[in-house]
Every structure is written in structure tokens, then in C-alpha cells.
Amino acid sequence: MLPNIHSFDPELYSAMSSELDRQRNSLELIASENFISIRVMEAMGSWLNNKYSEGYPGRRYYGGNQYIDMIETLAIERAKKLFNAEHANVQPHAGTQANMAAYMALLKPGQKILSIELPQGGHLSHGSPVNFSGMLYSFVFYGLDKETERIDPDNVRKVAEREKPDLILCGYSAYPRQFPFEEFGEIAHELDVPCMADVAHIAGLIAGGVHPNPFPHCDVVTTTTHKTLRGPKGAIILSKERYAQRIDKAVFPGSQGGPFDQMIAAKAVAFKEAMQPSFKEYAKQIVKNAKALAARLMEHGFRLVSGGTDTHLVLVDLRPKHITGREAEIILEKVDISVNRNMIPGDPQKPWITSGIRLGTPALTTRGLKENDMEYIADLINKTIIHRDDNKTLSHIKEEVHELCKLHPLYPEIR
Ligand SMILES: Cc1ncc(COP(=O)(O)O)c(C=O)c1O
């Protein structure tokens, strides 16, 4: 209950409260989503929103920043410790802004970046022609190995030697395997160019010790804070000390104005949470859950890109089931299972339709679901797709979804 919004703005309150019900009563399998703690929410919804603090701790363009300096310093020190980084900038408003600032720090417009395309698991901000990245920089791409659907570092090296990029980027939105930081670092250093990692999806797995750290192999690392890391919407940039000044300048004044101090405080809370022993258990469970989900889906005849997962996500090729990604997303939403359609490598469908769905376990792991629940969810997904034209079975599945949700209450402290 938000009593003040409730009494002042019932129209808005009603939509907010319906969204809470939706989150409570659906199985959230969108790989980039999570449920933040009430502590993180408290920081986000606080009076820190009121302050302007352009600049950095000790060097602000506004007065009255002594407490904001303490808050930002806490966030910086925690981020550095969590990821074993020499430098941290905690101001980026979002992952795309963090990538914009990182490119700006490392390159001049028009210079060349080696990355992977969106349909192969990359992100819009890794060179898509409809994004600032593709408009301002010259991108060349390596692909996944056609057989294994994994990154082949030898092929990346070949493309890098041929194309001579000014920056090599290792980062993915839909790659279910470990990111090869060490090999990318070696290739970049052989070419004497910086190596950047975008760990937006797997930051929580790195912090929790179930995925290798990009340092010391990479020079600059960007991440969102709201996916596996389970913090507020936002991002950070970590780097080696020699890039620190350039990164800070590229964030402010290069690409942003005043920082969102309330979000920086919320990032600090989330980093402290990620330092607790329980977060290590959480990260382990995310991966165990993803593996259990993957194994059961394969038993049901689904084809998984790369044949499984090492991380929090599973990329399902739906072609053997004769349904598109868009159709599957819509039909699963009907039974309150929340997923997103996703391109698969070499997808014959357009991005609006796709042949795949991407599933992830961070959010449901936060709710306390375990491997046996994941197997049950795989059964429900399979049943939904098989019986997609049978409304009676679909409504029965929806009841089963609600029963499972009830066993794992979300935000019981919020009435
Ligand atoms: C690898 C990667 N980088 C960057 C981003 C961008 O984050 P944001 O949506 O905060 O701009 C995402 C988000 O999905 C991502 O997956």
C-alpha cells in the first residue's frame, strides 16, 4: 500500500497495484528481470532525488553535497570490491548510456569496434544500425560457430587480425555460455587495443562467484545493475586505473548531466546485499535452476541453442515445435508465464516474430523456487504449447501457475 499515492491519484495507484498483482501471480522468466529488495526500493524512493550533484565526490558543481559524496563513495568502493576493479563510475543511468560513455572514452566517432550482432546474442548498443552505436561507430562482427553455437576464440582472432578493430567487445544479451574474457583479452592485447566487456546479464553471477571475472583480462567493463545483480535500474562502468579519468569524463560531462543520487544509493544497497554469503547461494541456485529448466525442456523435445546453459538463461529454438517466438510469448502470457521472444542464431524469422524464446531464472530464484519447481515449469510450458488451442486446458494451467506463485509470496510485507 502506498497511502499517499492511493489517496491523491487513485487512477495511477490502480495501475501500480495491478502491476504488483501481475508480478505476484505470474511466473517471471524474463532473463533480464529480477525482484529488488524492499531496502533497495527504500533508497530509490527517497529524498535523495531532490539533490543536484553534477561532478564527482569532492568535485561538485553544486553546494551541499557532503552527504551525497559519502553515498557515492560508498557505492564506488563497494562496486570496486565486488568486481575486483581498480576504478568504478556508478553514475550511468542505464546500460546503453554506460556503453555510450565507454565507447566515448575509448574511441573517436567512426573508429572500429569488433562485436557480435543482435541476432547472434549481442545487444542493440553493440552496433545495431538503429542504435547510436551503429550510427556513430564502424562495427565489424564475428559470429557464433555454426556447429556448436558457441563463441570460437580462434575465429574471433582471425576476424580481429583481418579487420584490425580499435576496440574488442565481449558481451551478450542472449548467450547461455560462459563469456570468454581471457581469450578476448589476449586477442586485444596482441593487437594492442583495449578489451571491453559488457556483463549486463551476468554481473550477479560474477559477484556471486559462479562466473569468471572479466578482470584482469578486460580493461573496461560495463554492466546494468538490475538484472542478475538484483539492484535498481541503472548501470556502472568499471575499469583499470589507467582508463579512470577518460571514463569519468565521458560519463559527466560527456554523456550525462546530474547523477540520480537516489539510484546511486540504491546501487550501494544492492552491492552490500551482493557481498553477503547468501548472495553466493543465490547465484549458485540461479545456475542450478537454469540447468534444471534446460534439461527438462530438452526431455520434452525442445532444441536449446548450444545444447544447454552455464548461466542464468536458456535460449529455446522453437522450430521443432512449429510455433514462432511471438506466438509462444503470447500463448504463455495467457497462462501467466512471462517470457520474451528472441532471435536465435541464423533465425529465418524477422525480429518482430523470431523463432525463439529466451528464458531466465534470476527472478524466480529470488522468489525461492528450486530445481523441482523449474522442472514443473518446463512441463507447464510444454503443455501450454501443445494445448495452445484448447482454452479449457489453458485455464487449468493458469490455475496451476497461480498455485505455484502462492507458495512463493512476493513482497508479503506490501499489503
Ligand atoms: C548486454 C547488454 N548490454 C546493455 C544492455 C542495456 O541496458 P539498458 O536497457 O539499461 O539500456 C542490456 C539490456 O538488456 C544488455 O543485455
Side-chain angles (χ1 to χ4, degrees), residues 240-364:
K240 293 193 174 157
E241 189 56 42
R242 68 176 183 280
Y243 294 99
Q245 261 196 337
R246 281 198 261 165
I247 293 287
D248 285 353
K249 268 192 181 167
V251 174
F252 172 83
S255 57
Q256 292 187 179
F260 296 167
D261 300 308
Q262 75 284 15
M263 303 309 265
I264 290 174
K267 288 172 193 174
V269 176
F271 298 155
K272 183 157 184 172
E273 289 180 351
M275 286 169 174
Q276 307 304 312
S278 58
F279 196 86
K280 282 201 163 44
E281 291 309 309
Y282 168 62
K284 267 191 217 155
Q285 192 62 48
I286 290 177
V287 177
K288 280 192 209 164
N289 282 352
K291 284 183 185 290
L293 182 68
R296 188 64 148 241
L297 286 169
M298 285 193 289
E299 278 175 35
H300 285 303
F302 287 90
R303 195 189 83 81
L304 302 190
V305 170
S306 86
T309 181
D310 300 325
T311 63
H312 63 301
L313 75 82
V314 174
L315 190 56
V316 187
D317 174 358
L318 293 166
R319 287 174 300 177
K321 298 284 181 184
H322 309 292
I323 183 169
T324 65
R326 182 171 149 74
E327 285 164 342
E329 182 188 297
I330 292 169
I331 198 72
L332 287 166
E333 191 169 338
K334 266 197 176 173
V335 299
D336 288 339
I337 297 179
S338 185
V339 308
N340 69 279
R341 62 185 180 278
N342 210 99
M343 303 280 275
I344 53 161
D347 204 319
Q349 297 283 1
K350 295 230 156 60
W352 184 250
I353 304 294
T354 80
S355 300
I357 48 172
R358 188 185 65 168
L359 310 174
T361 54
L364 290 183

Side-chain angles (χ1 to χ4, degrees), residues 32 94-96 99 123 125-126 171-173 198 200-201 224 226-227:
S32 49
T96 303
N99 286 342
H123 184 256
S125 61
H126 299 174
Y172 316 96
S173 292
D198 177 349
H201 262 266
T224 55
H226 48 270
K227 298 185 173 99

